[in-house]
Amino acid sequence: MRAACNAKVSQLRQRKQLQQVQRQVGSKHNLSEVTASYKETGDRMGFQQHGNREVGLSGITLGTKNKYKRMHSELPDGDDEVLHQEARRNSTRKFVIACATFASLNNVLLGYDVGVMSGAIIFIKEDLKISEVKEEFLVGILSVVSLLGSLGGGKTSDIIGRKWTMAIAAVIFQMGSLVMTLAPSFSILMVGRLLAGVGIGFGGLIAPIYIAEISPNTSRGFLTTFPEIFINLGILLGYVSNYAFSGFSAHINWRIMLAVGILPSVFIGFALFIIPESPRWLVMQNRIEEARSVLMKTNESDGEVEERLAEIQQAAGLSNCNEYEEKPVWYELLFPSPSLRRMMITGIGIQCFQQISGIDATVYYSPEIFKAAGIEDNAKILAATVAVGMTKTLFILVAIFLIDRKGRRPLLFVSTIGMTICLFSIGASLSLFSQGPFVITLAILFVCGNVAFFSVGLGPVCWVLTSEIFPLRLRAQASSLGAVGNRVCSGLVAMSFLSVSRAITVAGAFFVFSAISSLAIVFVYMLVPETKGKSLEQIELMFKNEQEKGSEMELGDVEVEQLVQDKTVLPN
């Protein structure tokens, strides 16, 4: 068994060295440099002479009809090979972006609900004559109930797959939206909110996990921000819907606003015919060939496909070198190892800070903030919320282009520091100045600033991190715990903001949010690692390294043999 493991390690290491030399062909213009580099690597990798030809890693003679040729030999089809590589690279990029886009459609539903409810609640209060307590309950219950979807979504996705869990989420949300649209009373409206919350919990959890598992290492951060982009797009559409339909009667307009939310889930049905299943989930089911087929579509070279597949197999505990008895997932989560405990503190902690820093209060209750600043006309209030939605959506683009270039931690620092300043400034503006145009301007400016800084870092990076840091076998269910923390905190904030603001004023509530946001800065510094450019398996190793101390937990290129050694128990 040890010999078989050593042979596999050697083969994977040699393939990696060969790929490094192959990449040099595209980056070196001096042919002699490439030739020298190739010869040196060939000696190191054990190429042997066989007559007038060379023998490769597997003992197959390297000739003109073989897949691997001498790098410095004349290739009559060289131009065609370059064109083929470029065509595959472009095809792979388009395919992965399409998968990330379709997988993120469920997140439009969450964003739309957040945005549309901020305006619809004005007319629901007027039509159904509900109290302020019922208003808080109606707004916040969706976040609380969505934790049931998050808890169930992790286990469900492990059983039926990531792809079909997203389908279930869309169907449940459609049912909830339809019930809310036709609700004749507050009680029926609450039933619809409960269904919609479960659907959002399912979809919001699985999308970032699916995207992280299907994405190449170099663009995983960029692609995993797509769910947050679509949440912001949904919020903006919700605000626009509020403004567009506010002219109808109070009995009709909020129903139309809620009914529009059904449309995105229809497109999800079409997406299921396009996107594949997660290759990592397929490996967990021991469907290796299907996983290889998906990886062929999402990676740029055959060598990279085999390397990724070998790493995933080792991480999933399905390779021939793996002989250990697995503990149940629930047991590992309840009694985590030191490395898993660090992962859970980081993942659940960042999810909770995302919500208790007050973003949902800012978005759900932005009309209340603008009323406190002095805006009285409903149409003007809704127009101001559209500006908030546009700002939140535009600044997510900053995170898209920087998350894989600058890293996760720098964006989190910029985000949490900026949010702390803006939240404090909202409180200061409302408490130090009387109502009027000046305070209205400051309120709109700092609310927009708060959502902008949130979109730059804490919003998208939170979901990126929780989809990256957990081991493959535990990823879905461990991530669901983070999503539960997120939804519980969101619900608590949404269901208590009005009561708290009545007790300590709106300004006082934002001073509290500012203090919490400042704690988030410390949390990021102490506990959040940098995961940029690392494979999911390398990130797992990073947390397992008990020697790493302090806030900077960096890992260079992790050798494949270290992964095998860490994931394998060998008999003596």
Side-chain angles (χ1 to χ4, degrees):
M1 181 64 69
R2 183 184 299 273
C5 289
N6 290 337
K8 187 170 186 65
V9 169
S10 177
Q11 185 179 17
L12 290 173
R13 182 172 63 249
Q14 291 168 346
R15 183 185 293 117
K16 186 174 181 180
Q17 291 172 329
L18 179 59
Q19 289 171 348
Q20 291 173 346
V21 174
Q22 288 173 330
R23 284 193 290 269
Q24 289 176 332
V25 174
S27 61
K28 290 186 178 181
H29 299 287
N30 190 330
L31 185 60
S32 63
E33 292 181 18
V34 178
T35 303
S37 177
Y38 170 72
K39 287 181 177 178
E40 181 183 348
T41 304
D43 294 338
R44 200 166 58 242
M45 292 167 62
F47 283 119
Q48 299 174 346
Q49 294 292 331
H50 184 76
N52 294 326
R53 295 182 181 179
E54 289 180 332
V55 176
L57 297 174
S58 60
I60 300 174
T61 302
L62 297 180
T64 56
K65 293 183 180 181
N66 287 314
K67 181 176 179 181
Y68 299 104
K69 303 179 182 180
R70 286 185 65 92
M71 295 274 175
H72 58 285
S73 63
E74 293 183 4
L75 298 177
D77 57 343
D79 291 340
D80 291 340
E81 183 68 20
V82 172
L83 291 175
H84 174 73
Q85 292 277 351
E86 185 63 27
R88 178 170 178 175
R89 185 177 298 109
N90 292 334
S91 175
T92 297
R93 187 181 301 114
K94 291 177 182 178
F95 181 77
V96 174
I97 289 176
C99 290
T101 300
F102 287 125
S104 301
L105 288 176
N106 267 319
N107 294 75
V108 175
L109 307 178
L110 172 58
Y112 185 82
D113 182 89
V114 172
V116 79
M117 190 54 66
S118 67
I121 193 67
I122 297 173
F123 306 104
I124 292 174
K125 287 169 59 179
E126 182 180 344
D127 183 33
L128 301 182
K129 306 297 189 294
I130 62 175
S131 65
E132 187 176 273
V133 174
K134 288 184 176 180
E135 175 188 354
E136 285 183 315
F137 197 68
L138 179 65
V139 170
I141 194 62
L142 182 135
S143 295
V144 174
V145 173
S146 65
L147 70 87
L148 299 177
S150 297
L151 284 173
K155 184 65 174 178
T156 302
S157 72
D158 281 343
I159 296 173
I160 67 174
R162 317 310 196 206
K163 175 178 174 179
W164 295 108
T165 303
M166 290 187 284
I168 292 176
V171 170
I172 296 176
F173 184 86
Q174 280 182 322
M175 294 169 56
S177 294
L178 186 61
V179 171
M180 287 191 292
T181 300
L182 303 176
S185 65
F186 177 77
S187 300
I188 303 300
L189 183 62
M190 284 298 300
V191 172
R193 291 289 282 173
L194 294 176
L195 287 172
V198 173
I200 285 175
F202 265 79
L205 165 71
I206 296 304
I209 294 176
Y210 172 84
I211 296 171
E213 291 185 343
I214 205 169
S215 301
N217 297 342
T218 54
S219 57
R220 188 178 62 247
F222 162 71
L223 293 168
T224 314
T225 60
F226 275 36
E228 185 66 21
I229 295 170
F230 280 78
I231 288 176
N232 284 282
L233 180 61
I235 291 173
L236 177 59
L237 292 176
Y239 285 153
V240 171
S241 177
N242 291 339
Y243 186 72
F245 299 117
S246 61
F248 291 90
S249 68
H251 181 67
I252 297 296
N253 55 13
W254 64 269
R255 299 177 189 276
I256 300 175
M257 296 172 187
L258 297 178
V260 172
I262 298 175
L263 296 178
S265 59
V266 175
F267 291 103
I268 297 172
F270 295 104
L272 295 176
F273 295 99
I274 298 175
I275 64 176
E277 184 52 83
S278 160
R280 285 171 168 85
W281 182 81
L282 291 171
V283 169
M284 287 174 63
Q285 307 304 310
N286 210 13
R287 292 156 61 177
I288 307 301
E289 290 305 315
E290 293 178 59
R292 179 181 282 108
S293 177
V294 176
L295 289 170
M296 290 289 289
K297 298 177 181 178
T298 60
N299 289 273
E300 297 177 0
S301 68
D302 294 348
E304 186 178 356
V305 169
E306 295 303 322
E307 186 175 346
R308 290 281 82 78
L309 185 60
E311 286 184 354
I312 295 169
Q313 285 181 271
Q314 297 297 334
L318 292 176
S319 76
N320 292 330
C321 299
N322 201 326
E323 287 186 349
Y324 63 90
E325 184 176 351
E326 295 178 345
K327 299 176 183 177
V329 171
W330 63 265
Y331 183 88
E332 291 193 54
L333 294 177
L334 285 177
F335 305 99
S337 63
S339 60
L340 180 58
R341 186 180 301 114
R342 287 169 59 190
M343 296 176 191
M344 294 178 69
I345 291 172
T346 300
I348 297 174
I350 198 69
Q351 289 276 13
C352 291
F353 271 114
Q354 187 199 56
Q355 293 301 327
I356 59 177
S357 56
I359 188 62
D360 273 3
T362 306
V363 175
Y364 272 128
Y365 296 109
S366 53
E368 296 293 328
I369 300 171
F370 298 141
K371 283 182 181 178
I375 304 178
E376 297 179 355
D377 183 69
N378 282 342
K380 291 181 179 179
I381 289 175
L382 296 178
T385 61
V386 171
V388 175
M390 291 181 66
T391 302
K392 198 171 188 296
T393 304
L394 288 174
F395 275 85
I396 191 67
L397 300 177
V398 177
I400 292 175
F401 293 109
L402 293 181
I403 192 167
D404 282 321
R405 298 178 184 178
K406 301 299 182 183
R408 284 57 160 161
R409 279 170 59 87
L411 292 185
L412 284 175
F413 280 127
V414 171
S415 177
T416 50
I417 292 171
M419 287 177 63
T420 301
I421 294 171
C422 288
L423 290 166
F424 183 86
S425 299
I426 293 172
S429 299
L430 296 178
S431 61
L432 297 179
F433 305 102
S434 58
Q435 291 183 344
F438 179 66
V439 176
I440 292 173
T441 302
L442 290 179
I444 295 175
L445 176 64
F446 290 126
V447 167
C448 288
N450 183 51
V451 299
F453 280 112
F454 178 85
S455 292
V456 165
L458 194 56
V461 175
C462 166
W463 295 102
V464 172
L465 279 172
T466 51
S467 65
E468 291 178 328
I469 62 177
F470 295 112
L472 174 58
R473 199 171 72 87
L474 308 175
R475 184 170 298 137
Q477 296 188 54
S479 297
S480 72
L481 295 180
V484 166
N486 182 285
R487 294 295 87 200
V488 168
C489 292
S490 172
L492 291 175
V493 170
M495 295 175 71
S496 63
F497 177 77
L498 290 179
S499 299
V500 171
S501 62
R502 296 292 180 270
I504 62 174
T505 73
V506 175
F510 278 93
F511 283 133
V512 173
F513 290 141
S514 177
I516 294 172
S517 183
S518 65
L519 294 178
I521 301 172
V522 179
F523 180 86
V524 170
Y525 179 78
M526 297 295 295
L527 295 170
V528 177
E530 182 56 74
T531 59
K532 179 187 72 170
K534 301 175 178 66
S535 71
L536 299 180
E537 290 70 35
Q538 288 174 335
I539 294 170
E540 180 182 349
L541 283 176
M542 176 174 61
F543 277 95
K544 284 193 170 186
N545 187 353
E546 295 295 333
Q547 303 303 317
E548 288 288 345
K549 301 294 181 181
S551 61
E552 287 291 336
M553 293 184 288
E554 295 293 340
L555 182 70
D557 290 333
V558 177
E559 293 294 328
V560 179
E561 65 267 26
Q562 184 181 356
L563 178 62
V564 175
Q565 290 167 2
D566 282 6
K567 299 300 292 185
T568 306
V569 176
L570 294 173
N572 292 324

